[in-house]
Amino acid sequence: MYAYIVKRLLLMIPTLLGAAVLVFYLLRAVPGDPCEIRLAGTGLYADPAEIELCQKNLGLDRPLYVQFFEFVGGYFTGDLGDSMWTGRPITYEIGLRFQLSLQVAIMATIVSVLLAIPLGTISAIRQDTWIDYVVRAFSIAGIAIPSFWLGIMIILGLLIITQQWFGTPWMPPIDYVSPFEDPLANLSQLIWPAIATGYRYSAVATRMTRSAMLEVLREDYIRTARAKGLLEKLIINRHALKNAMLPVVTIISIEFAFLIGGLVVTEQVFNLNGLGKLFVDSVGAQDFNLTQQLAMLVVLIFIVTNFVVDLFYAWLDPRIRYA
Amino acid sequence: MSTPEIVVATEELAEHKSLLARVWDLCRRQPLGTFGALVVLLMIFLAVFANVLTPYNPEAASWENQLTAPNAQFLMGTDHFGRDILTRIIYGSRTALFVGFAASIVGATLGLVLGVASAYFGGTFDIIVQRVVDVVLAFPLIILALVVVAAFGTAIQYVIIAITIPFIPQCARVVRSNALAIREIPYVDAARAMGFSHARIILRHMVPNVMAPYLIMITAFMGQAILLEASLSFLGLGVQEPIPAWGLMLQGGAEEYAESAPWIPIFPGLAITVAVFGFNLFGDALRDVLDPKLRRE
């Protein structure tokens, strides 16, 4: 087991290094750096000396490989550099927004689990009935509906409903309140983006639950349980659901890593100052330093999540060999 | 598990029927896929005949018609520039289809070549390609697309590149696993024994046999590409004004006027949903018909 863990940890290094090379060189694939864009991109006359000074200040005048080593070296020294856009340290910018995005991601995962497992189970038990068709249509729609549009529709719905019931339109607050200070205000703000993102991610998990349940329900031990006259409720809860959970847990955990991608658009709709919005802003401002660090953060979350899922999987199912 | 024989049998019977009857049979077996195909056809129709179908200009502002609610003249109302929403949705299908087809076909084709080559040559080349694929697949689609946009800038051709790049490894991975099985079939050995060049074996003997997963990937990509283009445009990092694009129609005015003019955000969002829904259903049905083995994900 320990040899397996060490081996998996070592295998992360080439993937991370590859991701660093990809992000770093992709961002610099086109001529023109932030200084030129900022100064000359306005269409006005830009003093070449001024561009040069700007490049010197941001360290862009050095050879690419030197910049690359500095970028990678930052992970060993803990200094991720400064944002080219705000001038503040990147660790500060990320730290400021990490809590909010993490909270929305966790809440969205909870929404997705609460939708996927009951819906997928009932859809499998009532296979090929109207309930099954409704659930399947609901989950396919989840993939097709853009989460940013769903977000706009949720805001619109809230405005109209509160207008009709209370006389004054209400919108979720924009300023972030920590859940430890005012849980209710925090929830009233973040539950909506969590629903908009979570619904989308529940779609795949619902289908996975349904197909896993269908498979398990055909097993011999389910027939045995039925034959000995066990209550159907007990068969589902104790025998079927438990055994069907393995692939579902995997897919939900992997989606957690991809949620960060979904947050990019959702945070924009709800005007949340999180990592997703920071990423979009950094792309818009051509802040290469910040963009590459955020992209690396997403990859790191993805790789670590995968690693944890694999360990968890091996622990849950001893038949999986540590090959 | 007894279905494969039945499918083969009905297909053999279908050989003797007319084309129309066979299409009808297929539609009856795949009602959802048929619906998807109709949506796709409708979208292509709208895109091709956009300039005939609507009397309005999709890009020109007309201030006297600003923020008109849906009525007989403007079926879906007008936006804050006084442009007819329905017109912009019809023209928007051009943008969505253009970006979608370009990104899906280029992405899947490059993935096809890479995947087949990786399987055919094997060894070190395969290992390197697969590690690179692993790295690219560790990025969520939109993150990688945004990195490309950050480097290239915002314009329709860069949006296509941004969507194409994440598709290449996805297709390469699927095609490779199919091609690995084909490499073991004796005719590939025979071709090699006859001294054919690598390029000829790959293009003439291997590529035609992985057409099913290739076509499946293209249709699967279409829905994703349309959604991704809409997301990028919505973020202001995709297609730029005044080009009519569905995601763009949800940006800017849409949120601001959501309460006073709800028709602005409602209809473009519906258009995206129906289009993606249609392509996904069509893709699923195509997958079932072309490759029953892939059915269980």
Side-chain angles (χ1 to χ4, degrees):
Chain A
M1 183 78 182
Y2 288 108
Y4 173 71
I5 294 176
V6 171
K7 194 181 157 202
R8 282 297 313 267
L9 276 172
L10 285 177
L11 273 174
M12 281 184 192
I13 296 170
T15 313
L16 281 172
L17 195 66
V21 172
L22 180 74
V23 170
F24 184 87
Y25 283 97
L26 199 56
L27 278 173
R28 289 157 182 82
V30 181
D33 60 51
C35 288
E36 286 169 20
I37 291 154
R38 204 174 301 167
L39 295 169
T42 53
L44 301 168
Y45 170 76
D47 187 2
E50 211 176 316
I51 293 180
E52 217 164 284
L53 182 73
C54 166
Q55 284 172 337
K56 209 175 181 73
N57 284 339
L58 294 179
L60 295 171
D61 54 338
R62 294 166 304 161
L64 272 186
Y65 71 91
V66 175
Q67 293 183 42
F68 180 74
F69 280 117
E70 192 189 59
F71 164 48
V72 175
Y75 294 108
F76 297 98
T77 59
D79 175 20
L80 301 186
D82 297 336
S83 159
M84 292 176 177
W85 172 46
T86 63
R88 284 190 293 239
I90 286 170
T91 40
Y92 169 81
E93 297 284 359
I94 291 178
L96 205 62
R97 296 162 174 90
F98 194 76
Q99 196 189 356
L100 184 143
S101 292
L102 183 68
Q103 199 197 335
V104 179
I106 291 173
M107 283 169 68
T109 309
I110 295 172
V111 169
S112 144
V113 170
L114 289 181
L115 283 174
I117 292 178
L119 287 180
T121 309
I122 196 158
S123 176
I125 299 171
R126 302 262 177 273
Q127 192 192 3
D128 292 328
T129 62
W130 66 270
I131 299 178
D132 186 26
Y133 288 122
V134 169
V135 169
R136 281 162 71 187
F138 180 75
S139 68
I140 297 175
I143 302 178
I145 296 176
S147 51
F148 54 94
W149 184 60
L150 188 60
I152 297 175
M153 290 298 110
I154 288 175
I155 294 177
L156 188 61
L158 284 174
L159 285 172
I160 292 171
I161 289 170
T162 49
Q163 173 82 54
Q164 280 195 334
W165 287 4
F166 307 108
T168 44
W170 179 85
M171 249 178 82
I174 290 173
D175 289 322
Y176 177 63
V177 197
S178 162
F180 304 108
E181 280 168 31
D182 188 348
L184 214 62
N186 173 276
L187 200 67
S188 73
Q189 179 192 25
L190 297 186
I191 186 75
W192 315 108
I195 290 174
T197 323
Y199 171 43
R200 183 174 172 74
Y201 285 92
S202 75
V204 180
T206 306
R207 288 168 79 163
M208 187 56 105
T209 310
R210 180 178 177 275
S211 65
M213 277 298 279
L214 282 178
E215 207 160 299
V216 170
L217 285 174
R218 284 195 201 104
E219 296 280 346
D220 289 341
Y221 56 80
I222 298 291
R223 195 187 307 154
T224 312
R226 284 207 179 112
K228 72 181 184 191
L230 206 59
L231 281 175
E232 190 65 20
K233 212 166 89 183
L234 279 180
I235 297 175
I236 301 295
N237 287 334
R238 198 184 291 167
H239 295 275
L241 205 52
K242 254 188 196 164
N243 284 300
M245 273 306 98
L246 209 59
V248 178
V249 168
T250 317
I251 206 93
I252 288 172
S253 329
I254 290 174
E255 282 190 339
F256 177 77
F258 275 113
L259 264 182
I260 312 289
L263 290 182
V264 165
V265 273
T266 323
E267 287 181 354
Q268 201 76 15
V269 178
F270 289 93
N271 242 314
L272 298 175
N273 192 18
L275 290 178
K277 194 168 185 314
L278 184 67
F279 189 73
V280 173
D281 289 343
S282 79
V283 169
Q286 297 247 332
D287 184 346
F288 289 175
N289 278 356
L290 194 50
T291 307
Q292 70 197 15
Q293 295 296 356
L294 286 170
M296 288 303 291
L297 180 68
V298 173
V299 173
L300 186 70
I301 292 173
F302 176 82
I303 292 175
V304 171
T305 311
N306 262 327
F307 171 67
V308 174
V309 169
D310 279 358
L311 288 191
F312 184 65
Y313 215 117
W315 178 71
L316 269 185
D317 190 343
R319 284 170 301 180
I320 293 163
R321 277 181 301 135
Y322 310 122
Chain B
M1 279 294 112
S2 60
T3 36
E5 294 94 43
I6 297 169
V7 171
V8 170
T10 45
E11 263 165 13
E12 272 168 5
L13 281 177
E15 294 279 308
H16 305 289
K17 291 184 183 170
S18 73
L19 185 68
L20 205 67
R22 284 165 67 182
V23 169
W24 174 241
D25 270 359
L26 202 62
C27 291
R28 275 220 327 238
R29 258 187 290 150
Q30 299 280 353
L32 289 176
T34 309
F35 174 75
L38 287 178
V39 170
V40 172
L41 287 177
L42 174 72
M43 218 175 136
I44 294 174
F45 175 77
L46 290 180
V48 171
F49 296 106
N51 42 352
V52 190
L53 289 168
T54 163
Y56 305 105
N57 183 321
E59 296 183 8
S62 95
W63 301 108
E64 66 276 13
N65 292 323
Q66 229 178 328
L67 297 173
T68 314
N71 58 25
Q73 193 193 354
F74 304 109
L75 292 175
M76 292 183 181
T78 63
D79 66 5
H80 49 298
F81 290 113
R83 301 175 296 197
D84 181 41
I85 303 253
L86 180 60
T87 301
R88 284 182 66 77
I89 286 180
I90 292 174
Y91 276 91
S93 63
R94 275 190 184 174
T95 313
L97 277 183
F98 176 62
V99 173
F101 273 127
S104 309
I105 291 173
V106 174
T109 307
L110 292 177
L112 170 79
V113 173
L114 200 63
V116 172
S118 184
Y120 175 76
F121 291 113
T124 326
F125 179 73
D126 186 38
I127 291 172
I128 293 172
V129 170
Q130 290 316 307
R131 287 293 81 78
V132 174
V133 165
D134 275 344
V135 167
V136 183
L137 288 181
F139 290 88
L141 268 184
I142 192 156
I143 299 288
L144 195 57
L146 281 172
V147 169
V148 177
V149 169
F152 286 78
T154 54
I156 196 160
Q157 63 271 33
Y158 303 136
V159 173
I160 293 173
I161 296 176
I163 299 173
T164 304
I165 289 180
F167 282 169
I168 300 171
Q170 284 190 31
C171 185
R173 165 119 329 154
V174 172
V175 166
R176 174 181 171 270
S177 63
N178 280 271
L180 277 178
I182 289 159
R183 192 186 61 173
E184 302 305 322
I185 298 176
Y187 63 70
V188 175
D189 273 341
R192 213 175 293 163
M194 289 179 75
F196 291 163
S197 70
H198 292 317
R200 178 168 175 170
I201 297 172
I202 288 176
L203 292 177
R204 293 283 301 276
H205 299 276
M206 292 188 68
V207 166
N209 288 297
V210 290
M211 274 300 132
Y214 171 70
L215 290 176
I216 290 165
M217 290 311 278
I218 288 184
T219 45
F221 285 161
M222 277 300 297
Q224 288 186 50
I226 291 173
L227 206 53
L228 203 53
E229 181 265 309
S231 303
L232 289 176
S233 301
F234 169 73
L235 292 172
L237 297 169
V239 179
Q240 300 293 312
E241 285 280 7
I243 299 172
W246 297 337
L248 200 57
M249 295 171 74
L250 289 169
Q251 198 222 6
E255 273 182 280
E256 213 174 303
Y257 298 103
E259 204 193 350
S260 56
W263 56 88
I264 299 182
I266 287 176
F267 294 115
L270 273 179
I272 301 171
T273 307
V274 172
V276 176
F277 199 59
F279 270 105
N280 285 348
L281 289 178
F282 178 63
D284 279 1
L286 192 74
R287 187 183 56 189
D288 288 353
V289 171
L290 286 182
D291 196 348
K293 271 178 296 178
L294 278 179
R295 200 170 168 180
R296 288 174 14 146
E297 283 165 29

